[in-house]
Amino acid sequence: MKQKYKKMKKTFRVFSMIMFVMLMTVCFSACSSDDDDDKNPSIVGTWYTETTCEIGTEYENIQYTELIFKKDGTVTGYWKYTYKNGKIEIETNKGRYEVIKDTLCIWLDGEDDVWTTTISISGNKMTTTEGDRIVWTRK
């Protein structure tokens, strides 16, 4: 009887080790760093919008804005202002971004403030709601 008990105990120990190894394999594969490669996959790409600003003033202009979000968390911004008098101003800037749930935060190089807005993305449209509601289109 004692011999049978020892054999059963050894079998149970081997079975337990096999189960432990299988469990660890599943856990480690679930924690793979593959998910980290696409920090914010839904926002990655080029987005643009065009709005009229400073309506009714001498500074009234059409503002074309383009934001390029990369997988590595960097962003490039391009702004083109076309004024009623035909004058055109162009600005570009780089920085970094982070998306936390439905909040987009952008830190542009040389700027002290962070631009924070709530976003929602549906297909090729992104809506931001920082003050005014702005609809962006994916290029």
Side-chain angles (χ1 to χ4, degrees):
M1 189 69 146
K2 220 175 195 183
Q3 186 72 4
K4 189 175 179 183
Y5 175 73
K6 278 185 176 183
K7 189 173 181 180
M8 216 163 84
K9 189 175 177 184
K10 185 177 179 181
T11 304
F12 180 74
R13 190 179 305 158
V14 170
F15 179 73
S16 295
M17 289 295 268
I18 291 170
M19 291 304 290
F20 178 75
V21 169
M22 289 175 60
L23 180 64
M24 292 306 292
T25 303
V26 169
C27 288
F28 282 122
S29 66
C31 297
S32 169
S33 65
D34 293 344
D35 298 337
D36 297 337
D37 292 341
D38 293 331
K39 269 186 170 177
N40 305 293
S42 61
I43 199 169
V44 171
T46 302
W47 298 86
Y48 71 92
T49 190
E50 194 170 87
T51 56
T52 303
C53 303
E54 305 287 337
I55 298 170
T57 72
E58 64 181 290
Y59 303 106
E60 184 173 326
N61 66 85
I62 296 173
Q63 179 180 326
Y64 173 85
T65 305
E66 192 172 283
L67 296 173
I68 304 164
F69 296 96
K70 295 183 181 167
K71 287 182 183 181
D72 64 1
T74 59
V75 61
T76 301
Y78 170 83
W79 295 267
K80 179 180 177 184
Y81 306 93
T82 306
Y83 295 91
K84 284 192 323 185
N85 64 7
K87 181 180 172 187
I88 294 176
E89 290 180 7
I90 295 176
E91 295 178 21
T92 59
N93 205 337
K94 294 181 183 243
R96 61 186 178 84
Y97 75 95
E98 188 173 342
V99 177
I100 303 167
K101 294 186 182 182
D102 64 347
T103 301
L104 168 64
C105 302
I106 298 177
W107 295 267
L108 292 174
D109 296 345
E111 300 285 329
D112 293 332
D113 298 327
V114 59
W115 180 60
T116 304
T117 185
T118 302
I119 64 169
S120 64
I121 298 174
S122 179
N124 287 332
K125 298 291 182 188
M126 173 174 65
T127 303
T128 58
T129 54
E130 180 233 3
D132 296 332
R133 181 180 175 272
I134 299 172
V135 177
W136 301 73
T137 304
R138 188 186 300 267
K139 251 186 168 176

